[in-house]
Amino acid sequence: MPPALNQLTESFQAQFHRRWNHLSNPHVRALAWLLDSPDLLDVHASQWSGKIGTLVDRNVSATHDWLAALDRDPTQLQAAIDKERPTYRLGYYAERLMTFYFQQQGTLIAHSVQVQSSDNGTVGEFDFLLRDHDGLVHWEFATKFYLLASDETGSTSKCLVGPNLADTLNAKMHKILEQQLLLAQHPAAQIHLPQPVTFAQALVKGWLFYHGPNRDQSAAQIMDGISIAHCRGFWCRVSEWKLGEKKRAIILPRLRWLAPAKLPFVQVPDSESFQQKIRQHFENEDAPLLVAILDRYNDDAIEIDRGFIVSDDWPAKAKEYLDRVSLADSS
């Protein structure tokens, strides 16, 4: 175990590397993260009314061996990912990984089932219809990345918002609970159901990111319903970003956001080259970047921390976006 892991025994990255560092294929590592990472939401929180699901591995040893074999020969998994048209959307990619898993487990009945109304309008879509003993289960699936944003006055008005300011956790869960999980009750959905749905739940995975000295703060202490054990990282303005000369980091492409990074150390840019990439990016655009801070372990570089670097005006834009969302909710 690399020294850094001893220093970060409480981090999810340390836990992941201890369990899965023998895996090298990025798709297999992403699947391992989906199966083994903490849920983003607390399944026992009363506000979810039992509508939050969790993966239960009834044979941990078999799963470990299966993933190890898949890493040695990922042909089947790669074929499943490539079966449909290429995707650059993280949600679709994660769904393909989970579809493969449920197929291999023999529990998948159907996935991505669109429900159309009589006038050919779209009513909704079942992410997964699964076999659970003799019952039929509807699971909605989401992988989400949210930053804990607050206004510049330091008020207690805070919210978990997507890095690109396209959604919030509150809005996402409202849609899942009040619309998507009720799909089986719609008359137009009945032709897609081989039997009545026993129960419908949401499986939500992801990472939450915290600013500055509050990065060790738990959203579970601020917002009800967040899992205490959720995966977490930091966020900072580009003017706040610093990387020491002896530190190494990479920019994570979107389809590598799920699992902690692992790559050959020779592929990691030096500190100055990396800093130049960051500067060039924000000189030309203001899209947030997810970066992984790395430590060397033999011939590999492994992630020990991660965070979003955002433009200097991102917090102000986040506040404007949250104000608009709040105004729309109250109208």
Side-chain angles (χ1 to χ4, degrees):
M1 183 187 304
L5 297 193
N6 290 324
Q7 300 167 10
L8 295 172
T9 54
E10 298 301 320
S11 76
F12 173 74
Q13 284 92 336
Q15 298 171 33
F16 186 87
H17 292 311
R18 280 196 294 272
R19 287 176 60 84
W20 305 112
N21 203 43
H22 58 287
L23 303 178
S24 296
N25 182 275
H27 302 312
V28 179
R29 288 174 63 85
L31 180 54
W33 179 84
L34 288 169
L35 300 181
D36 194 47
S37 63
D39 296 312
L40 191 60
L41 305 178
D42 181 0
V43 299
H44 302 296
S46 59
Q47 72 195 78
W48 307 129
S49 303
K51 294 181 180 180
I52 302 301
T54 188
L55 287 168
V56 178
D57 191 346
R58 296 182 175 87
N59 196 331
V60 176
S61 178
T63 300
H64 186 280
D65 294 344
W66 176 68
L67 287 170
L70 198 61
D71 190 65
R72 291 191 295 270
D73 182 8
T75 307
Q76 280 187 304
L77 178 58
Q78 188 67 59
I81 294 171
D82 295 340
K83 186 176 181 179
E84 303 176 56
R85 64 183 183 277
T87 181
Y88 300 98
R89 296 184 63 176
L90 185 62
Y92 288 165
Y93 171 68
E95 283 187 22
R96 292 180 188 183
L97 293 173
M98 291 304 298
T99 299
F100 177 79
Y101 170 74
F102 291 136
Q103 287 173 332
Q104 295 293 305
Q105 294 295 305
T107 58
L108 182 68
I109 294 177
H111 71 96
S112 302
V113 179
Q114 285 201 353
V115 177
Q116 304 288 332
S117 62
S118 58
D119 59 357
N120 291 324
T122 299
V123 177
E125 179 177 296
F126 292 107
D127 283 350
F128 293 106
L129 293 173
L130 304 173
R131 182 181 298 106
D132 182 39
H133 300 295
D134 294 328
L136 179 63
V137 176
H138 167 206
W139 262 15
E140 286 299 304
F141 175 59
T143 50
K144 305 304 294 183
F145 293 70
Y146 291 112
L147 284 63
L148 183 63
S150 62
D151 63 39
E152 294 300 290
T153 64
S155 81
T156 57
S157 175
K158 301 180 179 180
C159 191
L160 289 163
V161 60
N164 292 320
L165 305 179
D167 73 336
T168 67
L169 178 61
N170 286 343
K172 179 64 177 179
M173 292 313 301
H174 179 79
K175 181 178 180 181
I176 288 177
L177 297 177
E178 302 301 326
Q179 297 181 37
Q180 293 170 291
L181 290 182
L182 302 179
L183 183 58
Q185 300 176 23
H186 196 283
Q190 304 314 305
I191 62 171
H192 301 286
L193 303 175
Q195 63 191 90
V197 167
T198 305
F199 59 87
Q201 291 182 322
L203 177 66
V204 185
K205 297 284 186 172
W207 294 75
L208 301 183
F209 299 85
Y210 302 86
H211 183 235
N214 297 322
R215 59 170 303 175
D216 294 326
Q217 183 180 32
S218 172
Q221 299 171 329
I222 300 170
M223 299 180 65
D224 293 334
I226 303 294
S227 169
I228 294 177
H230 66 269
C231 299
R232 68 189 65 195
F234 66 90
W235 70 265
C236 67
R237 301 175 180 86
V238 63
S239 62
E240 299 170 324
W241 167 252
K242 293 180 181 179
L243 183 68
E245 292 183 3
K246 296 183 179 180
K247 294 284 188 179
R248 295 295 185 97
I250 58 170
I251 298 170
L252 291 174
R254 185 171 293 272
L255 296 191
R256 296 292 179 268
W257 282 14
L258 300 178
K262 176 185 177 182
L263 69 161
F265 188 79
V266 294
Q267 296 180 9
V268 180
D270 60 49
S271 177
E272 179 53 37
S273 298
F274 179 78
Q275 296 287 57
Q276 185 176 1
K277 285 184 179 181
I278 298 298
R279 289 193 295 269
Q280 289 176 342
H281 173 84
F282 284 101
E283 285 172 359
N284 297 303
E285 56 182 301
D286 59 3
L289 294 176
L290 181 57
V291 302
I293 298 175
L294 307 168
D295 191 20
R296 185 167 186 169
Y297 182 43
N298 297 329
D299 293 330
D300 294 321
I302 59 175
E303 176 185 323
I304 59 171
D305 201 0
R306 64 168 50 190
F308 276 102
I309 304 176
V310 302
S311 63
D312 284 343
D313 62 353
W314 185 91
K317 290 180 178 179
K319 183 178 184 304
E320 291 177 6
Y321 172 73
L322 294 173
D323 286 346
R324 291 198 303 272
V325 170
S326 178
L327 182 62
D329 289 343
S330 62
S331 63

